[in-house]
Amino acid sequence: MIDVQHLSKSYGAIQALKDVSFHIDDGEIVGLLGPNGAGKTTTIKTLTGYLQPESGTVLVDGIDVLTHPREVQARLGYLPESAPLYPELSVQAYLKMMADLREIPREKQPARLSEAIYATGLTDHLTRPIGELSKGYRQRVGLAQAILHQPKLLILDEPTVGLDPTQIVEIRRLIKRLARHSTILFSTHILSEVEALCDRVIILMNGEIRADARLSELAQTSDAILVLQQAAPGIETDLQSLDGVRGVESLGAVDGYPAYRVLGTDTADLTPVLFEMAKAKNWLVRELRRDTQTLEMVFNSMNSEK
């Protein structure tokens, strides 16, 4: 659905994107994560044909965005960070106007409008001026206009920024429902947003991709946690002697039992070799598992390296 190769963009002396490449398949819901100023909005604007890069190629559904932006824009739904709404119009009048601008045939408009209104929960607000709606409902109106034409790709830029906790939960539920029918790419700097909605995340920092992986892959580490029933003399030296081990950290007592983090040198799972050593040394093992890390831990680690 999206294929980006070697994308670069500068604003004067500031390089917003530096040789960015990634691929998104049909049906995926992908979070574009990064701190403010990382290049997320620049990427979004380039994908949607609103911004010309200095170099690189962008294909959406096989169409070159840079040479055929109107064709691409007709195939996608886009909700920018500040939705382009007209506060004096009623919800119904605005959506009807957007249906006309999208060139949806008149005979299909009632069905398309009804589907978008129902999907976004706007049924009870059709006659209200948009300017009288809460920010959460204005976001719903923005989403409704983005899905009117049943796009194959939905691009959302910070869709929950400025919303209260209840509104955030409602918009997340809505995005999950929309993902049943569309590929979704949304940008955010909120870690919990990605964890709640995505299976895959692309992390941008300083205009460069620092990670592109499924959340389950990011959570894996080469480290292992070992908890014993009782202390074992010389255990740290024994563990350090194993191939693939770069260090051993004592975690003190976990629920009263001696615990250790065994640090691996690569991505291999250490638990099998630890189990064999424990069996050979007659250690009484209470717990042995591969360690995991949260998205916050991954993000903070990358942020500290920049």
Side-chain angles (χ1 to χ4, degrees):
M1 179 54 68
I2 297 176
D3 187 49
V4 175
Q5 296 295 327
H6 308 295
L7 198 63
S8 295
K9 175 65 179 177
S10 296
Y11 300 100
I14 300 173
Q15 192 164 5
L17 296 177
K18 307 170 188 175
D19 197 33
V20 168
S21 299
F22 61 88
H23 181 86
I24 297 176
D25 289 324
D26 285 349
E28 286 194 283
I29 177 166
V30 179
L32 186 61
L33 177 65
N36 291 328
K40 302 186 302 298
T41 296
T42 298
T43 301
I44 293 291
K45 287 184 176 180
T46 304
L47 289 176
T48 53
Y50 291 96
L51 194 64
Q52 288 287 317
E54 288 152 7
S55 61
T57 60
V58 181
L59 300 181
V60 173
D61 201 19
I63 302 172
D64 192 326
V65 175
L66 307 183
T67 56
H68 300 88
R70 293 295 297 274
E71 289 184 40
V72 170
Q73 289 165 359
R75 292 169 180 253
L76 60 82
Y78 176 39
L79 177 63
E81 185 175 346
S82 298
L85 305 177
Y86 293 84
E88 69 278 6
L89 292 181
S90 69
V91 172
Q92 184 170 327
Y94 171 75
L95 293 178
K96 176 64 170 63
M97 179 186 73
M98 295 305 297
D100 290 337
L101 290 174
R102 282 288 185 184
E103 299 181 345
I104 298 173
R106 290 296 176 91
E107 66 274 11
K108 293 184 178 180
Q109 285 190 14
R112 296 286 180 86
L113 287 165
S114 178
E115 289 170 6
I117 289 165
Y118 178 77
T120 52
L122 290 169
T123 307
D124 296 332
H125 302 274
L126 294 180
T127 60
R128 293 185 62 187
I130 293 173
E132 295 181 2
L133 299 176
S134 67
K135 182 159 187 178
Y137 272 98
R138 292 199 298 273
Q139 286 291 81
R140 288 170 181 256
V141 175
L143 279 169
Q145 65 81 23
I147 64 174
L148 270 177
H149 56 305
Q150 298 178 339
K152 298 177 67 175
L153 172 64
L154 190 57
I155 296 180
L156 313 173
D157 192 1
E158 304 280 3
T160 62
V161 67
L163 303 185
D164 65 38
T166 300
Q167 293 168 336
I168 288 174
V169 170
E170 292 174 348
I171 294 298
R172 284 178 182 171
R173 287 174 181 165
L174 175 56
I175 291 173
K176 281 190 173 182
R177 291 200 300 271
L178 295 174
R180 299 170 189 167
H181 309 289
S182 301
T183 301
I184 295 181
L185 172 67
F186 74 92
S187 73
T188 183
H189 61 276
I190 304 172
L191 299 176
S192 59
E193 202 89 291
V194 173
E195 291 178 318
L197 291 170
C198 300
D199 291 323
R200 177 180 162 205
V201 59
I202 297 171
I203 299 179
L204 267 180
M205 288 188 176
N206 296 322
E208 298 177 303
I209 291 182
R210 300 291 296 276
D212 181 357
R214 302 186 75 80
L215 292 181
S216 57
E217 294 170 348
L218 285 177
Q220 290 184 351
T221 74
S222 60
D223 305 338
I225 300 297
L226 174 65
V227 183
L228 301 184
Q229 191 74 21
Q230 60 188 38
I235 184 173
E236 293 190 34
T237 301
D238 290 335
L239 292 172
Q240 187 70 63
S241 70
L242 288 170
D243 289 339
V245 173
R246 61 183 172 85
V248 180
E249 296 178 354
S250 174
L251 301 179
V254 175
D255 295 330
Y257 300 96
Y260 304 89
R261 176 178 287 110
V262 185
L263 309 177
T265 56
D266 52 34
T267 57
D269 186 357
L270 286 174
T271 55
V273 295
L274 295 179
F275 176 79
E276 291 301 323
M277 173 167 275
K279 186 168 65 171
K281 296 285 186 178
N282 292 318
W283 295 336
L284 298 177
V285 177
R286 184 176 181 85
E287 180 182 357
L288 175 60
R289 61 177 172 83
R290 193 168 185 174
D291 197 14
T292 59
Q293 56 186 348
T294 64
L295 181 58
E296 181 178 3
M297 293 166 64
V298 174
F299 186 81
N300 288 337
S301 174
M302 292 178 179
N303 209 21
S304 65
E305 294 171 3
K306 67 180 182 179

